[in-house]
Amino acid sequence: MSCCPACLSDAIEEFLSYQSGVRGLSANTVTGYRNDLAKLASLLDGQRPLDSITREDLRYCIGELTVAGAAASSVNRFVAAVRSLFSYCRRFEYIAVNPAQELHTVKQPKYLPKFMTISEVNQLCAAPETTALLWTTRDKALFEVFYSSGCRVSEIAGLTLEDFSPDYTSALVRGKGGKDRRVFLAQNAVAALKEYLPERQERLLRHGGTVRGSCSALFLNNHGGSLTTRGIRYILSRYSGVEGTNNPVSPHAFRHTFATAMLANGADVRAVQEMLGHSSISTTQRYTHITTAQLVKTYNQAHPHGNSRQDGDSGE
């Protein structure tokens, strides 16, 4: 057993180093832990001895966050971080009893993921050509790859030319937890990519790249560097804003739309789970609720006795 941390703040720093250095968690995940555990140290005093912290102390912290107006999802993320911290401390015998073992999350409302209709996603994918706001071929390829692959925004930003099959019909992406999976690209996405790639090469050469290119990222910014997640969000905000479709969406809406479309058209839920890189089937099953809701809506709109009919309307 290693030397016990002197106080809560020391334990937090050791825990974060362990998550980053030993478990190899992503920088974003470690930052999330750091932000939540900083709240814990602030509420309980970071210099407090570990073995003096009780379950009632942790419940007090949850109550304080709730009173301050924190969303249920934020409170539950805080609870998860606290559980992980004290589980780590108990594992290495820094404490005799885990005060977070019976710590409960708070109930949060169930929101169905926002997705686009077929006409909406088609309109958005066509927006780079119809509006010519930024870099037409890049932006069209970006949207088509989003919709075709179901990737997260971080996965799109991380794509390189080497990740693709020779015919660009599939790519290997690295998802959460460093897990690799293969995603697939439909004909529209492949065609858009092939139109964009020559311009990508020209942009590299213009900014001092070699014939092979100095940047391996698939999507480039205007200066020939890698397009970041922030840059992708900016591009989408322009095309889905008042200058474009006037239907603002986030990059994740493409992922939701992909999942909904796949399930609505008969794809097996476990196959969709694999394509999305979900670790739990329950995460993927959220989208079955969307497709069911859409079926009910369609039924009520189309059936003569549907709930959307007004009293006295015979439907004739």
Side-chain angles (χ1 to χ4, degrees), residues 138-179:
R138 178 201 62 186
D139 302 338
K140 181 173 177 59
L142 176 66
F143 295 165
E144 290 286 358
V145 171
F146 255 124
Y147 181 42
S148 189
S149 66
C151 284
R152 303 175 178 92
V153 63
S154 59
E155 294 167 348
I156 294 288
L159 281 173
T160 68
L161 293 179
E162 290 75 20
D163 294 327
F164 285 83
S165 61
D167 60 359
Y168 297 102
T169 58
S170 69
L172 195 66
V173 300
R174 172 153 292 186
K176 287 186 175 181
K179 295 179 181 178

Side-chain angles (χ1 to χ4, degrees), residues 29-236:
T29 300
V30 174
T31 298
Y33 273 131
R34 182 178 296 279
N35 292 339
D36 285 320
L37 295 177
K39 297 174 186 175
L40 177 69
S42 174
L43 289 166
L44 291 185
D45 179 8
Q47 299 306 308
R48 183 167 173 175
L50 272 176
D51 57 7
S52 72
I53 297 174
T54 66
R55 182 173 59 184
E56 287 65 33
D57 291 324
L58 300 180
R59 286 177 173 172
Y60 158 79
C61 294
I62 294 173
E64 287 296 297
L65 291 176
T66 303
V67 170
S73 58
S74 298
V75 173
N76 288 341
R77 190 185 63 234
F78 170 83
V79 170
V82 170
R83 282 175 174 171
S84 295
L85 170 67
F86 283 98
S87 177
Y88 169 86
C89 292
R90 181 69 189 94
R91 176 185 173 188
F92 288 98
E93 300 182 7
Y94 296 157
I95 52 177
V97 177
N98 182 353
Q101 188 168 5
E102 297 181 7
L103 206 60
H104 298 296
T105 56
V106 299
K107 186 175 181 180
Q108 60 185 93
K110 293 182 179 180
Y111 297 107
L112 292 178
K114 182 179 179 180
F115 67 100
M116 294 176 277
T117 64
I118 294 176
S119 61
E120 287 172 342
V121 76
N122 287 342
Q123 184 182 19
L124 184 54
C125 286
E129 293 179 317
T130 58
T131 60
L133 288 175
L134 300 168
W135 182 352
T136 300
T137 59
R138 178 201 62 186
D139 302 338
K140 181 173 177 59
L142 176 66
F143 295 165
E144 290 286 358
V145 171
F146 255 124
Y147 181 42
S148 189
S149 66
C151 284
R152 303 175 178 92
V153 63
S154 59
E155 294 167 348
I156 294 288
L159 281 173
T160 68
L161 293 179
E162 290 75 20
D163 294 327
F164 285 83
S165 61
D167 60 359
Y168 297 102
T169 58
S170 69
L172 195 66
V173 300
R174 172 153 292 186
K176 287 186 175 181
K179 295 179 181 178
D180 291 341
R181 74 180 189 281
R182 185 158 293 278
V183 298
F184 303 94
L185 276 69
Q187 184 177 352
N188 284 4
V190 173
L193 274 178
K194 289 182 177 179
E195 188 175 356
Y196 156 66
L197 289 175
E199 291 189 16
R200 174 192 177 278
Q201 188 61 40
E202 290 176 9
R203 188 65 58 100
L204 277 175
L205 293 173
R206 191 185 313 161
H207 290 279
T210 64
V211 174
R212 290 180 57 82
S214 58
C215 178
S216 63
L218 173 63
F219 292 111
L220 305 180
N221 59 32
N222 288 333
H223 304 290
S226 301
L227 188 62
T228 64
T229 57
R230 183 176 180 181
I232 292 173
R233 294 181 190 279
Y234 170 75
I235 292 168
L236 184 55

